[in-house]
Amino acid sequence: MAKNYHINISDDWVAPEETLLDAGSEFSNLEQPIQGTAFSLAFWGVTVLFAVVVAVSGWMGVIHFDYFAGLAFQNRSVNFLVPPPRGLIFDTTGLPLVQNIPSFDLVAVSKEAKTLLDDDAALTSVAQTLQEDKEQLKNDLGEQSQAASIFFVAHDLTKDQILAVEYQHPAGLYVIPDVKRSYVDGPSLAHVVGYVGKVTKDDLAADSYYAPTDTIGRLGIESQYEDVLRGEHGRIFFGADADTLNLDAQAGRGVQLNIDASLQKTAYDQLRAVLASAGLTRGAVIVQNPQTGAVLALVSFPSFDSNNFADGLSQAQYKSIFENSDRPLFNRVVSGLYNPGSTIKPLMGMMGLQEGVITPTTTIQDCISITIPNPFTPGVQYTFKNWRADTGPFNLRRAIANSCNVFFFSVGGGFGSIRGLGIEKIDSYLKATLADSDLGIDLGGEEHGFVPTPQWKESERHENWYQGDTYNVSIGQGDLIVTPLWLNTYISAIANGGTLYKPEVAKAIVDNNKNPIQTFEPQQIGSLPFDGSVISEIKSDMQETVLSGTAQTFKDLPVTVGAKTGTAEVVKGRSINSLFTAFAPMDNPQIALTVLVEGSASNQGLAIQVAHAIMKQYFAPPATPTPSPSPAP
C-alpha cells in the first residue's frame, strides 16, 4: 500500500523567491563561493615565504658559509685571543726605534688540563721543565681551572722548554706564540717613544677591543698612536676535533717620527754628562725645525728605561721610578712650567718696538739698578738690580746681547723717558703668541703657561698690582710661567720670520714596508703679532749675543747663530734654573733649540754647554772618507 508523505512549511521559512532576494543581502545565511582573490593572495604569500627561506638558507649556507661555520666551530671549541704584534716606530731616516722579539708562552685549556692533575708522572715532568715545585704547579692548575676556561701557565719559554713540552705533550697544555716589545735605546728615547704595559680593568671596560692578555701604550708615541700601532688579534682554537687551529694576528701599522736618532742620542748624552758634572739630576732639551715645527730631538731628565716595563718592573725599579722625587716619568719639555727668565727679553723687545715705546736706538745709561717709590707708602722705595753691574750706554741690541735687566724693566714697566708698555699690553701680546695655550704637540700631558694680570692678583691674592710686578714679568720672573716647548716655539717663529707652527713628533703613518699611508704636513697655529721689520731687528739682536754678548762660545761653529741666555731664580740666593735658546744658521735656520738645567747653585753656563755640543755635532762637516791604498803593482 502506497505511503503518503506530507511536508509542513513553517511560517518562519522563506519562500523560494525570497531566497533569491536574500542572496544579495549582507545578512544572508546561505553559503557563498570563495573569491579568486583569496586564492591568489595565498599562492603569492606561500611563494614569497618559500623564496625568503631559500634566500636566507643560501645567504647563510653558501655566501657566508665560512662565517657561520666559524661560529659553530667556536661553540664547540675553546678559543684564545692572540695579541697582535704592535706596529714599529722609526726615526726620520727609517731607523727602527723599537723591535718585536718573538717569544712563546704556555697556556692550559681547563677542561683538558684537569686530567693532568691525576697524572703524577706527567705533572712531575712539566714541573721539572718549568723549574717549578710540582705541588705548587698542581695547586695553581687546579685553582685556575675553576676560574677560567683557558689561562697562562708560563711566559717567555726558552727553546729547551718549548722542545720539552712539545715532546711530553701533556694533556691540555699548549705552546702559543707571542711577541715582546723591545726598545733600541730605552733611556734616551723614553719620553718620546714611551712604553707599553698590561691592560687594566679600566682599559677593558673602556674599549671592547682589548683582552686580558693585551698590552697598551702608556706614554709617548706608544700611547698617542695606540689605535694605529695595536693591530688586529689572532685566535687559536683548542678542541677535540681541532688540536690547535691558529688564525694569525695582523700587525699594527707603523709610525715614522721627525726625531733624528743620532741627534736625540747626542742631546741625551750631553745633558746627562753636564748634569752629572754639576751634581744635578733635572733638565730638558727640545730641538725643532723652525721652518715646520718638526721635533728633531726631545730629552727630559731624569729618564727611565722603557725596556723595564716590557720585562716587568722589579721592586727596586718600581721604587726608582714611582717613588722618586725627581719624577722620571714627568716630561719636563711639554709638562714642566718654569719662569722663562731672560729668554723672554726678545719677545719684550718686539713688543716695545711694535708699540713705539722704544726704537732700536733708544738708549739708557748704565745697567746697574733702578729705584722707584712705593705709590701707597710715601718714603718707601724699591730697588731693582741688574744681574751684574754693567756701565755705559745700552741700546736694544746691547741689552739683548748682554741681557740687561734695567733696559727691559723700563720697556715693560716704564722708567725715566721710557713710558713702558704696561701689564695690559704685555698680557695681550703674551696671549697672542700662545704663551697660555696648548700648542697641540702629539705627546700626552702638555701643559700651558700662565700669564698673570692685575685682576688675577686681586682675585687670588687680594693684593694690588705694583709696578714692580710688571718689572718682574718683563724679565721673565714673578708669576709668569711657560713650558720649554712654548719657549722654543716662539723662538722658532723669530727664526722663520713670524710663523708659529704646531710641534709635531710624528712624520707619517706607514705600512709594514715603510710606505706612507698618512703624512703629517706642517700646521700653522698662529703668528707673531709684529711687523716683519720688528722681527728682523730682534733676530739680528740675538745674533749679537754670540758676536759680543753672553754666548760668544758659539763663534767657533761653522754657521752664524742667534741666541739668548737666561736664568730664573727659584730659591733666592740658593737655586736657579739655567736656560738657553738659539737658532742657526741666521740666513736660513735649520734648527732651533732650548735647553733647561734645573736647580743650579749659580749661573755656571750649564745650558750653554749642552746647546753648544748639540749644535757642534749637528753642523759638523761630513767626514771625508779615507782613500783606500792602491794595490801593489
Side-chain angles (χ1 to χ4, degrees):
M1 178 177 173
K3 295 182 178 180
N4 293 323
Y5 296 91
H6 301 278
I7 299 176
N8 292 323
I9 299 177
S10 170
D11 291 340
D12 295 333
W13 284 70
V14 295
E17 62 274 15
E18 292 176 338
T19 301
L20 296 176
L21 292 173
D22 286 343
S25 171
E26 61 178 316
F27 302 107
S28 173
N29 293 326
L30 300 178
E31 294 182 0
Q32 298 183 32
I34 299 174
Q35 299 293 321
T37 304
F39 286 108
S40 298
L41 290 174
F43 172 77
W44 287 112
V46 172
T47 301
V48 169
L49 179 61
F50 179 76
V52 169
V53 171
V54 171
V56 171
S57 298
W59 181 78
M60 296 178 64
V62 179
I63 299 175
H64 292 280
F65 171 81
D66 291 340
Y67 172 75
F68 288 101
L71 290 180
F73 179 76
Q74 291 184 44
N75 289 334
R76 66 177 190 273
S77 308
V78 176
N79 72 89
F80 176 81
L81 280 178
V82 179
R86 292 178 69 83
L88 297 182
I89 301 172
F90 306 93
D91 88 333
T92 190
T93 67
L95 181 73
L97 305 178
V98 299
Q99 296 176 338
N100 291 324
I101 307 299
S103 67
F104 294 88
D105 301 326
L106 187 64
V107 298
V109 178
S110 298
K111 66 181 180 181
E112 299 176 34
K114 290 177 181 178
T115 61
L116 180 62
L117 301 177
D118 300 323
D119 190 338
D120 190 69
L123 197 60
T124 300
S125 297
V126 173
Q128 290 176 347
T129 298
L130 300 179
Q131 298 180 347
E132 294 185 13
D133 178 75
K134 184 183 75 172
E135 291 303 318
Q136 183 63 48
L137 177 62
K138 184 175 182 179
N139 291 336
D140 291 343
L141 289 173
E143 292 176 4
Q144 294 279 9
S145 294
Q146 300 299 321
S149 60
I150 188 168
F151 56 91
F152 283 104
V153 178
H155 294 278
D156 201 15
L157 301 180
T158 66
K159 181 179 180 180
D160 290 341
Q161 287 175 325
I162 296 170
L163 293 174
V165 171
E166 294 291 346
Y167 176 76
Q168 296 161 8
H169 198 61
L173 299 188
Y174 299 89
V175 175
I176 62 167
D178 199 358
V179 290
K180 285 178 58 179
R181 198 68 154 172
S182 175
Y183 298 90
V184 175
D185 196 345
S188 73
L189 286 157
H191 290 94
V192 174
V193 175
Y195 67 93
V196 294
K198 287 292 185 181
V199 294
T200 64
K201 290 182 179 179
D202 291 340
D203 297 321
L204 295 172
D207 193 335
S208 60
Y209 165 88
Y210 294 106
T213 55
D214 283 335
T215 58
I216 187 172
R218 291 295 185 203
L219 198 72
I221 294 297
E222 290 277 28
S223 174
Q224 190 73 18
Y225 292 92
E226 168 70 12
D227 290 349
V228 172
L229 295 166
R230 68 187 186 182
E232 296 296 332
H233 290 95
R235 288 179 182 268
I236 297 180
F237 294 92
F238 305 95
D241 57 348
D243 189 7
T244 54
L245 176 61
N246 188 356
L247 301 181
D248 290 336
Q250 297 180 17
R253 291 168 291 168
V255 179
Q256 185 173 17
L257 308 183
N258 288 308
I259 296 291
D260 183 319
S262 176
L263 187 64
Q264 175 79 15
K265 180 66 173 171
T266 297
Y268 177 85
D269 289 344
Q270 292 300 324
L271 181 59
R272 179 178 62 177
V274 166
L275 290 175
S277 68
L280 303 175
T281 58
R282 302 187 301 274
V285 175
I286 172 71
V287 185
Q288 291 176 269
N289 180 344
Q291 309 294 349
T292 64
V295 177
L296 308 180
L298 185 153
V299 176
S300 179
F301 255 87
S303 188
F304 60 93
D305 190 345
S306 301
N307 289 301
N308 291 339
F309 289 91
D311 296 333
L313 294 175
S314 66
Q315 188 65 24
Q317 289 169 338
Y318 180 89
K319 287 184 177 181
S320 70
I321 293 175
F322 291 100
E323 298 179 10
N324 188 334
S325 60
D326 288 333
R327 303 169 66 191
L329 294 178
F330 183 67
N331 188 336
R332 285 167 166 77
V333 173
V334 303
S335 303
L337 293 171
Y338 307 91
N339 291 131
S342 294
T343 59
I344 204 69
K345 290 174 180 175
L347 186 55
M348 293 298 304
M350 288 189 289
M351 294 181 200
L353 292 172
Q354 187 71 27
E355 291 294 323
V357 170
I358 58 170
T359 69
T361 60
T362 299
T363 303
I364 65 169
Q365 186 62 38
D366 299 330
C367 188
I368 300 174
S369 66
I370 58 176
T371 300
I372 59 172
N374 185 320
F376 303 102
T377 308
V380 176
Q381 294 182 323
Y382 297 108
T383 298
F384 295 84
K385 297 181 179 180
N386 189 45
W387 61 284
R388 69 182 181 189
D390 279 338
T391 58
F394 276 79
N395 60 10
L396 176 61
R397 181 157 299 189
R398 188 182 178 195
I400 291 284
N402 291 278
S403 203
C404 175
N405 285 349
V406 174
F407 188 91
F408 289 98
F409 289 152
S410 304
V411 171
F415 186 76
S417 62
I418 302 176
R419 71 177 188 272
L421 290 159
I423 190 58
E424 288 78 11
K425 286 184 178 178
I426 294 173
D427 169 73
S428 176
Y429 276 114
L430 283 169
K431 290 179 177 177
T433 53
L434 310 181
D436 64 342
S437 303
D438 289 341
L439 303 180
I441 188 172
D442 49 343
L443 291 176
E446 182 186 359
E447 291 286 347
H448 55 77
F450 174 74
V451 180
T453 64
Q455 295 76 18
W456 165 82
K457 189 179 181 186
E458 173 65 29
S459 173
E460 295 297 319
R461 296 183 178 173
H462 308 292
E463 296 175 359
N464 293 319
W465 185 271
Y466 296 104
Q467 187 178 8
D469 293 320
T470 305
Y471 282 175
N472 283 331
V473 172
S474 300
I475 62 167
Q477 296 279 174
D479 294 303
L480 175 64
I481 50 176
V482 298
T483 63
L485 181 66
W486 174 81
L487 181 56
N488 203 60
T489 298
Y490 113 73
I491 292 297
S492 294
I494 293 176
N496 68 37
T499 302
L500 295 162
Y501 282 107
K502 176 183 176 181
E504 288 277 11
V505 178
K507 181 178 183 179
I509 306 300
V510 297
D511 62 20
N512 292 331
N513 295 317
K514 300 184 185 180
N515 298 315
I517 298 172
Q518 178 185 358
T519 301
F520 301 111
E521 300 296 334
Q523 295 185 44
Q524 181 177 346
I525 56 175
S527 12
L528 296 179
F530 309 113
D531 296 339
S533 59
V534 168
I535 298 172
S536 179
E537 172 63 30
I538 290 296
K539 188 174 178 180
S540 297
D541 295 343
M542 292 181 70
Q543 184 181 9
E544 193 66 28
T545 305
V546 174
L547 297 178
S548 65
T550 55
Q552 295 186 49
T553 184
F554 284 80
K555 288 196 290 188
D556 69 345
L557 296 182
V559 293
T560 53
V561 179
K564 186 70 195 77
T565 54
T567 57
E569 194 169 50
V570 180
V571 180
K572 191 171 180 62
R574 294 174 52 193
S575 175
I576 66 168
N577 290 337
S578 175
L579 294 127
F580 182 79
T581 187
F583 56 85
M586 286 291 297
D587 54 347
N588 184 28
Q590 299 174 26
I591 67 168
L593 61 79
T594 296
V595 180
L596 163 74
V597 173
E598 285 190 45
S600 176
S602 62
N603 187 4
Q604 302 169 320
L606 301 178
I608 294 178
Q609 293 178 41
V610 177
H612 181 264
I614 294 172
M615 280 200 169
K616 189 173 183 178
Q617 186 270 342
Y618 186 87
F619 291 110
T624 303
T626 304
S628 302
S630 301

PDB file of all heavy atoms in Angstrom, residues 87-108:
ATOM      1  N   GLY A  87     102.768  47.766  15.759  1.00  0.00           N
ATOM      2  CA  GLY A  87     103.488  48.390  14.664  1.00  0.00           C
ATOM      3  C   GLY A  87     104.804  48.972  15.154  1.00  0.00           C
ATOM      4  O   GLY A  87     104.962  49.315  16.333  1.00  0.00           O
ATOM      5  N   LEU A  88     105.761  49.080  14.258  1.00  0.00           N
ATOM      6  CA  LEU A  88     107.079  49.587  14.620  1.00  0.00           C
ATOM      7  C   LEU A  88     107.104  51.120  14.604  1.00  0.00           C
ATOM      8  O   LEU A  88     106.250  51.760  14.002  1.00  0.00           O
ATOM      9  CB  LEU A  88     108.140  49.033  13.674  1.00  0.00           C
ATOM     10  CG  LEU A  88     108.321  47.513  13.696  1.00  0.00           C
ATOM     11  CD1 LEU A  88     109.443  47.094  12.745  1.00  0.00           C
ATOM     12  CD2 LEU A  88     108.604  47.006  15.101  1.00  0.00           C
ATOM     13  N   ILE A  89     108.092  51.679  15.275  1.00  0.00           N
ATOM     14  CA  ILE A  89     108.300  53.124  15.318  1.00  0.00           C
ATOM     15  C   ILE A  89     109.684  53.407  14.745  1.00  0.00           C
ATOM     16  O   ILE A  89     110.667  52.778  15.151  1.00  0.00           O
ATOM     17  CB  ILE A  89     108.183  53.650  16.760  1.00  0.00           C
ATOM     18  CG1 ILE A  89     106.798  53.317  17.338  1.00  0.00           C
ATOM     19  CG2 ILE A  89     108.432  55.156  16.808  1.00  0.00           C
ATOM     20  CD1 ILE A  89     106.662  53.634  18.812  1.00  0.00           C
ATOM     21  N   PHE A  90     109.767  54.334  13.791  1.00  0.00           N
ATOM     22  CA  PHE A  90     111.015  54.628  13.087  1.00  0.00           C
ATOM     23  C   PHE A  90     111.411  56.087  13.310  1.00  0.00           C
ATOM     24  O   PHE A  90     110.563  56.948  13.537  1.00  0.00           O
ATOM     25  CB  PHE A  90     110.860  54.378  11.592  1.00  0.00           C
ATOM     26  CG  PHE A  90     110.357  53.006  11.231  1.00  0.00           C
ATOM     27  CD1 PHE A  90     109.000  52.773  11.059  1.00  0.00           C
ATOM     28  CD2 PHE A  90     111.243  51.953  11.071  1.00  0.00           C
ATOM     29  CE1 PHE A  90     108.522  51.511  10.730  1.00  0.00           C
ATOM     30  CE2 PHE A  90     110.775  50.685  10.740  1.00  0.00           C
ATOM     31  CZ  PHE A  90     109.419  50.462  10.573  1.00  0.00           C
ATOM     32  N   ASP A  91     112.709  56.344  13.193  1.00  0.00           N
ATOM     33  CA  ASP A  91     113.151  57.744  13.223  1.00  0.00           C
ATOM     34  C   ASP A  91     112.979  58.337  11.825  1.00  0.00           C
ATOM     35  O   ASP A  91     112.491  57.682  10.901  1.00  0.00           O
ATOM     36  CB  ASP A  91     114.572  57.861  13.773  1.00  0.00           C
ATOM     37  CG  ASP A  91     115.655  57.719  12.705  1.00  0.00           C
ATOM     38  OD1 ASP A  91     115.413  57.052  11.668  1.00  0.00           O
ATOM     39  OD2 ASP A  91     116.758  58.263  12.897  1.00  0.00           O
ATOM     40  N   THR A  92     113.386  59.571  11.640  1.00  0.00           N
ATOM     41  CA  THR A  92     113.136  60.265  10.380  1.00  0.00           C
ATOM     42  C   THR A  92     113.861  59.644   9.197  1.00  0.00           C
ATOM     43  O   THR A  92     113.447  59.801   8.053  1.00  0.00           O
ATOM     44  CB  THR A  92     113.528  61.756  10.515  1.00  0.00           C
ATOM     45  OG1 THR A  92     113.065  62.474   9.381  1.00  0.00           O
ATOM     46  CG2 THR A  92     115.034  61.925  10.672  1.00  0.00           C
ATOM     47  N   THR A  93     114.949  58.897   9.463  1.00  0.00           N
ATOM     48  CA  THR A  93     115.700  58.246   8.390  1.00  0.00           C
ATOM     49  C   THR A  93     115.225  56.829   8.117  1.00  0.00           C
ATOM     50  O   THR A  93     115.749  56.163   7.223  1.00  0.00           O
ATOM     51  CB  THR A  93     117.198  58.206   8.734  1.00  0.00           C
ATOM     52  OG1 THR A  93     117.405  57.340   9.865  1.00  0.00           O
ATOM     53  CG2 THR A  93     117.724  59.590   9.052  1.00  0.00           C
ATOM     54  N   GLY A  94     114.242  56.347   8.890  1.00  0.00           N
ATOM     55  CA  GLY A  94     113.763  54.973   8.727  1.00  0.00           C
ATOM     56  C   GLY A  94     114.406  53.984   9.675  1.00  0.00           C
ATOM     57  O   GLY A  94     114.143  52.782   9.592  1.00  0.00           O
ATOM     58  N   LEU A  95     115.235  54.451  10.591  1.00  0.00           N
ATOM     59  CA  LEU A  95     115.879  53.567  11.564  1.00  0.00           C
ATOM     60  C   LEU A  95     114.854  53.119  12.605  1.00  0.00           C
ATOM     61  O   LEU A  95     114.190  53.957  13.228  1.00  0.00           O
ATOM     62  CB  LEU A  95     117.030  54.296  12.247  1.00  0.00           C
ATOM     63  CG  LEU A  95     117.839  53.505  13.281  1.00  0.00           C
ATOM     64  CD1 LEU A  95     118.714  52.473  12.574  1.00  0.00           C
ATOM     65  CD2 LEU A  95     118.707  54.449  14.108  1.00  0.00           C
ATOM     66  N   PRO A  96     114.681  51.800  12.829  1.00  0.00           N
ATOM     67  CA  PRO A  96     113.703  51.344  13.825  1.00  0.00           C
ATOM     68  C   PRO A  96     114.144  51.687  15.240  1.00  0.00           C
ATOM     69  O   PRO A  96     115.291  51.471  15.615  1.00  0.00           O
ATOM     70  CB  PRO A  96     113.655  49.825  13.607  1.00  0.00           C
ATOM     71  CG  PRO A  96     114.934  49.478  12.933  1.00  0.00           C
ATOM     72  CD  PRO A  96     115.334  50.672  12.127  1.00  0.00           C
ATOM     73  N   LEU A  97     113.210  52.231  16.012  1.00  0.00           N
ATOM     74  CA  LEU A  97     113.479  52.595  17.395  1.00  0.00           C
ATOM     75  C   LEU A  97     112.923  51.567  18.375  1.00  0.00           C
ATOM     76  O   LEU A  97     113.231  51.617  19.562  1.00  0.00           O
ATOM     77  CB  LEU A  97     112.868  53.965  17.698  1.00  0.00           C
ATOM     78  CG  LEU A  97     113.308  55.105  16.766  1.00  0.00           C
ATOM     79  CD1 LEU A  97     112.595  56.400  17.134  1.00  0.00           C
ATOM     80  CD2 LEU A  97     114.826  55.287  16.799  1.00  0.00           C
ATOM     81  N   VAL A  98     112.104  50.651  17.870  1.00  0.00           N
ATOM     82  CA  VAL A  98     111.567  49.555  18.678  1.00  0.00           C
ATOM     83  C   VAL A  98     111.653  48.268  17.871  1.00  0.00           C
ATOM     84  O   VAL A  98     111.782  48.291  16.636  1.00  0.00           O
ATOM     85  CB  VAL A  98     110.104  49.796  19.096  1.00  0.00           C
ATOM     86  CG1 VAL A  98     109.971  51.037  19.944  1.00  0.00           C
ATOM     87  CG2 VAL A  98     109.202  49.880  17.867  1.00  0.00           C
ATOM     88  N   GLN A  99     111.566  47.148  18.560  1.00  0.00           N
ATOM     89  CA  GLN A  99     111.565  45.840  17.916  1.00  0.00           C
ATOM     90  C   GLN A  99     110.500  44.967  18.559  1.00  0.00           C
ATOM     91  O   GLN A  99     110.137  45.174  19.725  1.00  0.00           O
ATOM     92  CB  GLN A  99     112.935  45.159  18.047  1.00  0.00           C
ATOM     93  CG  GLN A  99     114.075  45.867  17.340  1.00  0.00           C
ATOM     94  CD  GLN A  99     115.417  45.205  17.598  1.00  0.00           C
ATOM     95  OE1 GLN A  99     115.583  44.488  18.589  1.00  0.00           O
ATOM     96  NE2 GLN A  99     116.381  45.441  16.722  1.00  0.00           N
ATOM     97  N   ASN A 100     110.007  44.003  17.802  1.00  0.00           N
ATOM     98  CA  ASN A 100     109.121  42.980  18.344  1.00  0.00           C
ATOM     99  C   ASN A 100     109.895  41.662  18.388  1.00  0.00           C
ATOM    100  O   ASN A 100     110.216  41.095  17.343  1.00  0.00           O
ATOM    101  CB  ASN A 100     107.868  42.827  17.482  1.00  0.00           C
ATOM    102  CG  ASN A 100     106.958  44.033  17.580  1.00  0.00           C
ATOM    103  OD1 ASN A 100     106.831  44.627  18.636  1.00  0.00           O
ATOM    104  ND2 ASN A 100     106.317  44.390  16.481  1.00  0.00           N
ATOM    105  N   ILE A 101     110.218  41.206  19.589  1.00  0.00           N
ATOM    106  CA  ILE A 101     111.009  39.996  19.755  1.00  0.00           C
ATOM    107  C   ILE A 101     110.071  38.803  19.922  1.00  0.00           C
ATOM    108  O   ILE A 101     109.228  38.803  20.838  1.00  0.00           O
ATOM    109  CB  ILE A 101     111.925  40.099  20.994  1.00  0.00           C
ATOM    110  CG1 ILE A 101     112.769  41.378  20.924  1.00  0.00           C
ATOM    111  CG2 ILE A 101     112.804  38.859  21.101  1.00  0.00           C
ATOM    112  CD1 ILE A 101     113.676  41.468  19.740  1.00  0.00           C
ATOM    113  N   PRO A 102     110.167  37.779  19.044  1.00  0.00           N
ATOM    114  CA  PRO A 102     109.303  36.605  19.195  1.00  0.00           C
ATOM    115  C   PRO A 102     109.517  35.920  20.548  1.00  0.00           C
ATOM    116  O   PRO A 102     110.652  35.801  21.023  1.00  0.00           O
ATOM    117  CB  PRO A 102     109.749  35.692  18.041  1.00  0.00           C
ATOM    118  CG  PRO A 102     110.418  36.594  17.063  1.00  0.00           C
ATOM    119  CD  PRO A 102     111.062  37.672  17.871  1.00  0.00           C
ATOM    120  N   SER A 103     108.434  35.505  21.160  1.00  0.00           N
ATOM    121  CA  SER A 103     108.514  34.751  22.408  1.00  0.00           C
ATOM    122  C   SER A 103     107.385  33.723  22.413  1.00  0.00           C
ATOM    123  O   SER A 103     106.499  33.749  21.549  1.00  0.00           O
ATOM    124  CB  SER A 103     108.410  35.679  23.627  1.00  0.00           C
ATOM    125  OG  SER A 103     107.128  36.263  23.697  1.00  0.00           O
ATOM    126  N   PHE A 104     107.412  32.814  23.395  1.00  0.00           N
ATOM    127  CA  PHE A 104     106.422  31.741  23.462  1.00  0.00           C
ATOM    128  C   PHE A 104     105.938  31.578  24.898  1.00  0.00           C
ATOM    129  O   PHE A 104     106.730  31.673  25.846  1.00  0.00           O
ATOM    130  CB  PHE A 104     107.004  30.429  22.943  1.00  0.00           C
ATOM    131  CG  PHE A 104     107.335  30.460  21.481  1.00  0.00           C
ATOM    132  CD1 PHE A 104     108.585  30.893  21.052  1.00  0.00           C
ATOM    133  CD2 PHE A 104     106.393  30.093  20.532  1.00  0.00           C
ATOM    134  CE1 PHE A 104     108.895  30.952  19.696  1.00  0.00           C
ATOM    135  CE2 PHE A 104     106.701  30.143  19.176  1.00  0.00           C
ATOM    136  CZ  PHE A 104     107.946  30.567  18.758  1.00  0.00           C
ATOM    137  N   ASP A 105     104.627  31.370  25.023  1.00  0.00           N
ATOM    138  CA  ASP A 105     104.008  31.171  26.339  1.00  0.00           C
ATOM    139  C   ASP A 105     103.364  29.796  26.396  1.00  0.00           C
ATOM    140  O   ASP A 105     103.106  29.170  25.354  1.00  0.00           O
ATOM    141  CB  ASP A 105     102.942  32.241  26.590  1.00  0.00           C
ATOM    142  CG  ASP A 105     103.509  33.656  26.536  1.00  0.00           C
ATOM    143  OD1 ASP A 105     104.675  33.832  26.950  1.00  0.00           O
ATOM    144  OD2 ASP A 105     102.798  34.569  26.084  1.00  0.00           O
ATOM    145  N   LEU A 106     103.068  29.349  27.610  1.00  0.00           N
ATOM    146  CA  LEU A 106     102.393  28.069  27.817  1.00  0.00           C
ATOM    147  C   LEU A 106     101.021  28.346  28.399  1.00  0.00           C
ATOM    148  O   LEU A 106     100.902  29.029  29.427  1.00  0.00           O
ATOM    149  CB  LEU A 106     103.198  27.187  28.783  1.00  0.00           C
ATOM    150  CG  LEU A 106     102.691  25.747  28.968  1.00  0.00           C
ATOM    151  CD1 LEU A 106     102.789  24.965  27.662  1.00  0.00           C
ATOM    152  CD2 LEU A 106     103.469  25.052  30.081  1.00  0.00           C
ATOM    153  N   VAL A 107      99.974  27.863  27.723  1.00  0.00           N
ATOM    154  CA  VAL A 107      98.611  28.044  28.217  1.00  0.00           C
ATOM    155  C   VAL A 107      97.984  26.688  28.499  1.00  0.00           C
ATOM    156  O   VAL A 107      98.412  25.660  27.952  1.00  0.00           O
ATOM    157  CB  VAL A 107      97.732  28.824  27.209  1.00  0.00           C
ATOM    158  CG1 VAL A 107      98.279  30.207  26.974  1.00  0.00           C
ATOM    159  CG2 VAL A 107      97.586  28.054  25.905  1.00  0.00           C
ATOM    160  N   ALA A 108      96.961  26.697  29.347  1.00  0.00           N
ATOM    161  CA  ALA A 108      96.244  25.471  29.692  1.00  0.00           C
ATOM    162  C   ALA A 108      94.772  25.631  29.355  1.00  0.00           C
ATOM    163  O   ALA A 108      94.175  26.677  29.631  1.00  0.00           O
ATOM    164  CB  ALA A 108      96.408  25.168  31.175  1.00  0.00           C
TER     165      ALA A 108
END
